[in-house]
């Protein structure tokens, strides 16, 4: 017996394939949408977390900047206090500077040299005097430069030949000089005095 299928099987098969394709496409779109949504939500969570970290960092940076400003203010206050303390110490130690000035000057004056006037401006001292010769002025410069810690950077401003009347009939040639020298502070002079002593103690042999 011969069976003949008169139904449109090709159309049915084509429709079935089309339905399967549409179903697979829908499933793919659904899966793709779910994956894309999951990725989007993951990125959103990462962005939110990073924003929270940035906010935390910004807050901490603001706190640190405030602390740095406070520390800078404290450092400036400490520096000002130290400057005031140093100024007070300098004033206290400089009370005896005029005594040291006169004492050291009298010690360093060579024979045949005397000071006629002396003027101090801050740490600069202007000396005017008379010497028997230019060589005595050179001796005074050398003494003030090397033999005392209380004076530094002596500078000869002017030297002029002159005469001194020893008697109505006798005149002597002299050298009138003007000299500038820097007066050291007491603390600096004490350090300069202590340095050679410390060096000598360090260089002294140890007795066994």
């Amino acid at each position: 017996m011969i069976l003949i299928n008169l139904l449109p099987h090709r159309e049915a098969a084509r429709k079935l394939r089309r339905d399967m394709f549409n179903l697979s496409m829908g499933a793919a779109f659904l899966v793709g949408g779910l994956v894309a949504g999951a990725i989007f939500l993951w990125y959103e969570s990462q962005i939110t977390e990073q924003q929270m970290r940035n906010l935390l960092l910004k807050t901490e940076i603001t706190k640190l900047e405030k602390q740095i400003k406070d520390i800078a203010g404290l450092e400036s206050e400490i520096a000002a206090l130290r400057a005031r303390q140093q100024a007070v110490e300098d004033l206290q130690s400089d009370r005896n500077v005029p005594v040291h000035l006169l004492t050291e000057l009298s010690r360093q004056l060579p024979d045949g040299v005397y000071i006629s006037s002396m003027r101090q401006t801050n740490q600069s001292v202007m000396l005017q005097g008379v010497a028997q010769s230019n060589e005595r002025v050179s001796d005074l410069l050398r003494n003030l430069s090397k033999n005392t810690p209380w004076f530094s950077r002596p500078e000869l401003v002017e030297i002029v030949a002159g005469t001194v009347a020893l008697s109505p009939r006798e005149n002597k040639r002299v050298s009138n000089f003007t000299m500038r020298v820097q007066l050291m502070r007491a603390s600096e002079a004490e350090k300069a005095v202590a340095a050679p002593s410390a060096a000598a103690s360090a260089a002294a042999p140890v007795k066994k």
Side-chain angles (χ1 to χ4, degrees), residues 20-35:
M20 292 297 294
F21 176 77
N22 292 333
L23 183 62
S24 61
M25 288 296 295
F29 278 121
L30 179 60
V31 172
L34 292 175
V35 172

Side-chain angles (χ1 to χ4, degrees), residues 133-158:
S133 64
N134 293 345
E135 287 75 15
R136 300 297 173 89
V137 179
S138 298
D139 292 339
L140 178 58
L141 279 171
R142 183 167 54 255
N143 291 346
L144 295 178
S145 176
K146 297 181 180 179
N147 295 340
T148 174
W150 290 94
F151 298 102
S152 67
R153 302 197 302 274
E155 177 186 0
L156 182 62
V157 177
E158 183 183 32

Side-chain angles (χ1 to χ4, degrees), residues 38-114:
I39 294 174
F40 175 79
L41 293 176
W42 182 80
Y43 274 116
E44 282 293 323
S45 64
Q46 293 296 315
I47 291 171
T48 303
E49 184 177 357
Q50 187 62 44
Q51 288 176 346
M52 293 178 62
R53 291 176 182 174
N54 293 342
L55 181 60
L56 178 61
L57 288 175
K58 187 176 180 180
T59 304
E60 294 298 325
I61 289 172
T62 303
K63 291 181 181 179
L64 288 176
E65 288 178 349
K66 185 176 182 301
Q67 292 176 359
I68 290 172
K69 290 181 180 179
D70 294 339
I71 292 172
L74 290 175
E75 289 179 349
S76 62
E77 292 179 3
I78 291 172
L81 290 175
R82 287 178 177 174
R84 293 177 185 176
Q85 181 182 2
Q86 186 64 41
V88 172
E89 291 177 354
D90 289 339
L91 288 175
Q92 291 178 347
S93 61
D94 288 347
R95 287 183 300 178
N96 297 325
V97 166
V99 177
H100 291 293
L101 170 62
L102 297 176
T103 302
E104 285 297 316
L105 193 58
S106 62
R107 287 177 181 175
Q108 304 305 326
L109 281 178
D111 294 335
V113 179
Y114 70 89

Side-chain angles (χ1 to χ4, degrees), residues 114 130-131 161-167 170-176:
Y114 70 89
V130 180
T163 58
V164 174
L166 300 178
S167 66
E170 182 181 2
N171 293 328
K172 183 176 179 61
R173 294 182 63 83
V174 293
S175 297
N176 299 312

